[in-house]
Amino acid sequence: MVVPRTDFPILNREIHGKKLVYLDNAATTQKPKVVIDAMNNYYENYNSNVHRAVHLMAGEATDSYESCRTTLKNWFNAERAIFTSGTTEAINLAAHAWGKENLRSGDVVLMTEMEHHSDIVPWQLLADDLDIELRYIPVKEDFTLDLEAFDASLDGVKLVCIVHTSNVLGVRNPIEYVIEKSHSIGAKVLIDAAQGVPHKQIDFEKSGADFMAMSAHKMMGPTGIGALLVTEEIFQSMRPFMGGGDMIQTVTLKGSTYQDNEHKFEAGTPKIAEAIGWKAALDYMANIDLEAEHSRLVEIAKWTSSQLEDLGATIYGRYSEQDAAVVSFLFDNLHPEDLAHYLDAMGFAIRTGHHCAQPLLERLGVKGTARASFYLYNTMEEAVEFIEAVKYVLEKFG
Amino acid sequence: MVVPRTDFPILNREIHGKKLVYLDNAATTQKPKVVIDAMNNYYENYNSNVHRAVHLMAGEATDSYESCRTTLKNWFNAERAIFTSGTTEAINLAAHAWGKENLRSGDVVLMTEMEHHSDIVPWQLLADDLDIELRYIPVKEDFTLDLEAFDASLDGVKLVCIVHTSNVLGVRNPIEYVIEKSHSIGAKVLIDAAQGVPHKQIDFEKSGADFMAMSAHKMMGPTGIGALLVTEEIFQSMRPFMGGGDMIQTVTLKGSTYQDNEHKFEAGTPKIAEAIGWKAALDYMANIDLEAEHSRLVEIAKWTSSQLEDLGATIYGRYSEQDAAVVSFLFDNLHPEDLAHYLDAMGFAIRTGHHCAQPLLERLGVKGTARASFYLYNTMEEAVEFIEAVKYVLEKFG
Amino acid sequence: MNEALEEILDEFEEIEDRMEKFEFLHDLSDELNQLPTEEWTDSTRIDGCQSEAHVKVWIDSGLVQFRGGADASIVAGLMGIISIAVHGQTVEYVRALQPEFLARTGLLNSLTPSRSNGFRNIFSRVKIAIGE
Amino acid sequence: MNEALEEILDEFEEIEDRMEKFEFLHDLSDELNQLPTEEWTDSTRIDGCQSEAHVKVWIDSGLVQFRGGADASIVAGLMGIISIAVHGQTVEYVRALQPEFLARTGLLNSLTPSRSNGFRNIFSRVKIAIGE
Ligand SMILES: Cc1ncc(COP(=O)(O)O)c(C=O)c1O
Ligand SMILES: Cc1ncc(COP(=O)(O)O)c(C=O)c1O
């Protein structure tokens, strides 16, 4: 089963006179009409600031906004869900609100070479402020993490930051092992789940993770919103990050007291329409058999990668069952930037470049890759057309 | 002239069976259809991540997103416009990226008692980290700033933070005087323009301010976006606040280098749809004679306040030409929360409470006020209906 | 639900005009055993009302005791309803009571416990007092 | 605009099929005076291309000199056009030239100078070299 493509207005779009084949889903996903409609409904019928006024629209807006939080908590089985502008802000929030309060000089933050810049730079910035050490788990030839190196790197580690699923390789990391091992030495674990949550309903509590970061726009929700999930224990050890309206209990010239719920970390007028759109996306996902869809997409990715390989491409990925449908590849005789332009001329949207994961690409020994990433509305037919298009380009320009 | 009310779909809304009269504009404003449509158009026709891919939709999204920045810079005549999630994040950005880098132990940040919590708490949080002193300019009986006290408080001041227009009083502060005087002693000035920009096109460069913070949602734009305007000098002295994708030039395991434009402070996938919506709002405003509208609204506010006074209310404001159309008032014999509920029953949306300005309310000696705030689509007829409704409530419950 | 409460909620459902509902609510504040302002403290204060709102809930011989006071009359009226709902009732009875009954008044604009919605917070205070 | 450039842009406007445009562009990279890879340095590098792209622009006897090299062929083709536009032209002539002429190729998906759009950055480099 494929989700009804007619649910996604953009799929009717023509690109340079050709039918759009959108294969840049790891960058951002398309939105079903229900998501767009939910935001329109807010703006056209009950746009109002939340938490503050007693009038009817303020009540409706507040209920809608907070019901997104409830939906999110239920979907992920999480005690605390703090809204942020996306994965990046979520990780920065963890670094500021928890890291600054709980890390001490000499403590180690352990990351992986597979991290997205959003899970590296916040810790580098924090290391500029605190005297903490940063370490990285290497990636092996088979595109998986070097778990022996991980085991050997745990000395002094207080926090492990690991990407659930790589946006370049599609590889899903053994977070269960990493969490268990990290906890056994008393370290906390932050999961960058930006690429994990679109494909799978993750049970945060059961996963045992301490933090989990995500973006709505990568799971059919709007831009401008995401979340940091945290356990109650972590929540209680976080200090306010940004100050302002809505996060305070009282303000005097001498000092302030803060809310004791998630609002404490959501200063200012929140992302109201965005939360409402995200809830609609989660409700939409709830009607999809995500596991079946995921298998279907991984099959497509596997087929695509083997076809590309037959055409002479080097493939960066492995397409086991739990991995994401992300195909990174390179041709010796065709620059990826050229390929992307030629494909664009034929209606195909793929991504090329460093994918905000320069350390990983350095480890792979390349400057960038071409990446085709599939999502719920993509079909096997599109994969076939994509391979045909690549063949055409190779014949013409290869 | 009133802007065509038919431009605002929500104004057809019924509240408890009554016509909506929306007088909570200082909290958030309603959106014209062009703003909603611009965001729909993005999601339905060219939703894509920006700055990163070469395909057509990525190009269209990038051009649209960046053209919002251009529009913003032109509208405000500003060298640098950094997108944030709103006024609150903009001020927190200033505190982190500039304050932390440029303030030293013993330096003074001078604020006013009239500030919104968003322009107080970030500095209180900063003062927890750095050993800086916070001072406040008092508010006088006539609801204006005590400029003599200001003159007398400048010793050691490195930054003055002042609200352009009070969200409680509607009073427009003498920012020209404050900026000139502050600069004469070498202090920088941050303007919280959240309530100023909806009513007036401000020339940032000409104002001489160093920082200016604002929210799109208070000027007919969407939720989830705002901006910090800064001079080139300030821009160059700011250190990255949040780390992640899009703000870097290169990332290695050893460290990172950053972009040299505004992207440096916009980590992660940006607020794309939101920027596009905001641009549509600015384009819409460009077609309105804001000065004439402002005079019209202040007249309405002045009339409303005098009517309320005749009915026995205490008024907190003065309604001079430059002030905003914000009417804060209290009746001795009717609790504002009750009043707001009764008015809501009749379709009127007003705000009551502390308006995120507790220090100001403490100075005024009250716990909260009732506040009716007017915007472009409001009419004199609505003000008349409002006064009638208040009379009705007073008769029945006063 | 006890009979008095049922009657009141029926009455609310019958009244269509919202202003009339408020008038009816106004009268219900008389049903409230007043908590004298001298006894208003931080621990009796209800968050989420813009008014000063205070309640004291305790258990006496297995029966819930409720006193309240507020400077806004709508809040006092809602306290009146809650008082009718719980005052003098057994702990078991109150434990079974869900805050949703308040929605039948048709007066709640929002169901989210928040700053602008102290009504639910008042009821939560009752629940806390009986150890929930 | 010089005649050779005019002709090329006319040709681009005549070609409808985007792939054919690319084929035509491909040929234009031959027009480019190559900057040997040994001369590729940080200061010749163009930001915003995902490929390695390098140009060197200088003025000789009042005439603009342009050399370039890129490992992506589309970028090399665009350099070819820019070379035709500016190489051997007077500084005054190049000063008057606006980057918008590149849009006439119909090949630019974006007009914003950014990471994914090195084309404009190449032309900016020319402008910087002539002191703009
Ligand atoms: C004067 C003033 N400053 C700051 C803010 C905060 O704006 P936001 O909540 O959009 O961040 C507001 C609005 O609530 C305001 O009126
Ligand atoms: C693995 C991973 N982490 C983090 C991010 C950053 O997400 P955002 O840009 O939405 O903050 C992304 C997406 O670009 C990603 O793929």
Side-chain angles (χ1 to χ4, degrees), chain B residues 60-303:
Chain B
E60 292 172 343
T62 303
D63 284 357
S64 282
Y65 174 72
E66 289 298 335
S67 83
C68 172
R69 196 191 309 278
T70 309
T71 302
L72 198 66
K73 284 182 178 183
N74 289 342
W75 179 262
F76 289 106
N77 189 25
E79 282 170 294
R80 296 288 185 177
I82 303 167
F83 286 124
T84 65
S85 62
T87 305
T88 304
E89 190 178 295
I91 297 173
N92 281 278
L93 170 63
H96 280 266
W98 184 84
K100 234 172 220 167
E101 275 303 282
N102 295 279
L103 296 176
R104 303 272 162 276
S105 171
D107 285 349
V108 178
V109 174
L110 180 60
M111 289 164 279
T112 85
E113 278 183 353
M114 218 189 268
E115 296 312 301
H116 188 278
H117 294 164
S118 292
D119 200 23
I120 298 176
V121 187
W123 307 109
Q124 290 183 337
L125 288 172
L126 188 67
D128 288 346
D129 275 356
L130 308 180
D131 182 27
I132 56 173
E133 183 192 333
L134 307 181
R135 273 183 216 148
Y136 300 87
I137 311 170
V139 175
K140 295 190 297 183
E141 292 287 301
D142 67 355
F143 311 118
T144 67
L145 289 180
D146 185 339
L147 292 178
E148 285 178 26
F150 166 68
D151 289 350
S153 316
L154 285 169
D155 189 44
V157 170
K158 288 284 153 25
L159 176 67
V160 177
C161 298
I162 177 170
V163 65
H164 181 283
T165 299
S166 162
N167 63 317
V168 178
L169 308 169
V171 166
R172 197 269 201 197
N173 284 313
I175 61 161
E176 297 76 7
Y177 178 81
V178 168
I179 290 169
E180 207 192 308
K181 191 89 189 184
S182 304
H183 283 181
S184 76
I185 60 143
K188 305 295 182 198
V189 180
L190 179 148
I191 308 286
D192 171 355
Q195 299 290 344
V197 293
H199 294 281
K200 200 181 146 51
Q201 185 170 4
I202 299 178
D203 187 317
F204 176 69
E205 194 174 309
K206 220 168 122 192
S207 81
D210 301 281
F211 306 82
M212 189 170 282
M214 63 191 66
S215 300
H217 72 92
K218 293 196 196 276
M219 54 194 300
M220 298 187 285
T223 58
I225 193 165
L228 181 69
L229 310 180
V230 293
T231 61
E232 186 64 29
E233 182 199 340
I234 294 288
F235 186 80
Q236 296 302 339
S237 63
M238 284 165 70
R239 183 201 162 203
F241 172 27
M242 296 202 239
D246 239 35
M247 55 76 76
I248 58 91
Q249 197 68 255
T250 59
V251 174
T252 72
L253 300 185
K254 300 255 165 300
S256 301
T257 61
Y258 307 109
Q259 299 260 34
D260 50 15
N261 59 13
E262 282 91 338
H263 299 162
K264 181 173 178 181
F265 302 102
E266 296 169 357
T269 299
K271 302 123 182 57
I272 307 170
E274 290 84 349
I276 289 167
W278 194 7
K279 175 176 157 53
L282 288 167
D283 290 345
Y284 184 80
M285 281 178 91
N287 287 320
I288 298 171
D289 182 348
L290 281 180
E291 294 212 8
E293 280 301 293
H294 186 68
S295 305
R296 184 180 70 81
L297 292 172
V298 173
E299 279 308 310
I300 293 179
K302 200 189 268 179
W303 180 85

Side-chain angles (χ1 to χ4, degrees), chain B residues 326-340:
Chain B
V326 171
V327 183
S328 265
F329 62 100
L330 277 181
F331 286 104
D332 282 344
N333 49 347
L334 188 62
H335 195 282
E337 190 174 358
D338 287 335
L339 175 64

Side-chain angles (χ1 to χ4, degrees), chain A residues 323-367:
Chain A
D323 295 339
V326 171
V327 183
S328 263
F329 62 99
L330 277 180
F331 287 104
D332 281 344
N333 50 346
L334 188 61
H335 195 282
E337 189 174 358
D338 288 336
L339 175 63
H341 277 291
Y342 300 139
L343 286 171
D344 172 62
M346 293 186 275
F348 296 84
I350 66 161
R351 171 98 184 269
T352 52
H354 59 55
H355 314 299
C356 298
Q358 287 178 352
L360 173 61
L361 294 197
E362 188 156 319
R363 158 66 49 148
L364 300 176
V366 298
K367 289 244 169 70

